[in-house]
Amino acid sequence: MIEHLYATPVYSCMVVDYQTINYHIDKVIDKVNFYSLDRWGKTHLISTNFTKKSPEYFNAIKEFGLKKLQKEIDNHVKKYCDEIGFEYSKYKMTSWISKFESGSYAQIHNHGDADISGVYYYKTNGDDGKFFFESPNDHLNTSRIFKDRGGVRWEYIPHCGKMILFPGWLKHGVQTNITDNTRISISFNIKFEL
């Protein structure tokens, strides 16, 4: 018998009424100030308050009154928890808005001790940099048997209204935007309360 151990649960979906959510984002996006974080270099831009406050306290979704997006995130977090057999409970969420202009990218990173991390695509043309995950098994590419079975990288093409949820420890990044389109996404971290 073969058991597939250490599977990594990644959840992706299209938000049903994303046009309404994006309409509300349209009304506030011009109020967002973006900066690059010196510690990251000139990779991409992130919403201002992320740099002014500790990320533990910043919640762009609440800051800009995006209640419908918050409700959708909560709905999909419940579904994610159901799928993995985790009992959904109260949580705290931090969020920020990222802007990827031509030449922008996100280095491979993880979100530390976040129980669930996620991204919602507000503005994209689908060609402005794929979102990708690196395998948590660093040794797959050393095996002739397994390096071509799932590989070391899994890519997602961004679409307006798409949401992806994943464990915060999973390494991920964004490929370089080689288009003239500006891509904007809202990312978030969730930590369940004890």
Side-chain angles (χ1 to χ4, degrees), residues 68-84:
K68 189 158 180 66
L69 177 57
Q70 172 67 62
K71 188 174 179 181
E72 279 296 323
I73 290 170
D74 191 55
N75 179 43
H76 291 288
V77 165
K78 286 177 185 172
K79 289 179 182 179
Y80 181 87
C81 288
D82 286 346
E83 287 289 324
I84 63 172

Side-chain angles (χ1 to χ4, degrees), residues 94-118:
T94 56
S95 63
W96 59 97
I97 303 171
S98 298
K99 184 188 278 191
F100 293 83
E101 297 174 327
S102 184
S104 295
Y105 62 96
Q107 298 170 348
I108 297 172
H109 64 287
N110 65 36
H111 292 195
D113 64 351
D115 294 315
I116 298 173
S117 292

Side-chain angles (χ1 to χ4, degrees), residues 105-167:
Y105 62 96
Q107 298 170 348
I108 297 172
H109 64 287
N110 65 36
H111 292 195
D113 64 351
D115 294 315
I116 298 173
S117 292
V119 62
Y120 172 80
Y121 294 102
Y122 157 64
K123 182 182 176 207
T124 179
N125 66 7
D127 294 321
D128 42 20
K130 292 177 183 173
F131 182 81
F132 65 87
F133 292 111
E134 292 282 316
S135 171
N137 182 343
D138 296 334
H139 305 289
L140 276 177
N141 62 355
T142 65
S143 169
R144 288 186 191 129
I145 298 172
F146 295 107
K147 74 177 180 180
D148 294 327
R149 296 175 186 260
V152 294
R153 182 175 279 191
W154 187 268
E155 299 174 343
Y156 284 87
I157 297 171
H159 296 286
C160 288
K162 187 172 195 172
M163 185 182 299
I164 302 173
L165 304 176
F166 54 94

Side-chain angles (χ1 to χ4, degrees), residues 9 36 41 47-48 79 125 135 137 154-155 161 177-178 184 189 194:
S36 61
S47 48
T48 307
K79 289 179 182 179
N125 66 7
S135 171
N137 182 343
W154 187 268
E155 299 174 343
N177 179 358
I178 57 172
I184 299 176
N189 285 333
L194 299 176

Side-chain angles (χ1 to χ4, degrees), residues 33-48:
N33 293 314
F34 292 95
Y35 291 91
S36 61
L37 289 176
D38 291 338
R39 67 180 184 260
W40 293 348
K42 301 282 183 191
T43 58
H44 65 286
L45 301 173
I46 196 161
S47 48
T48 307

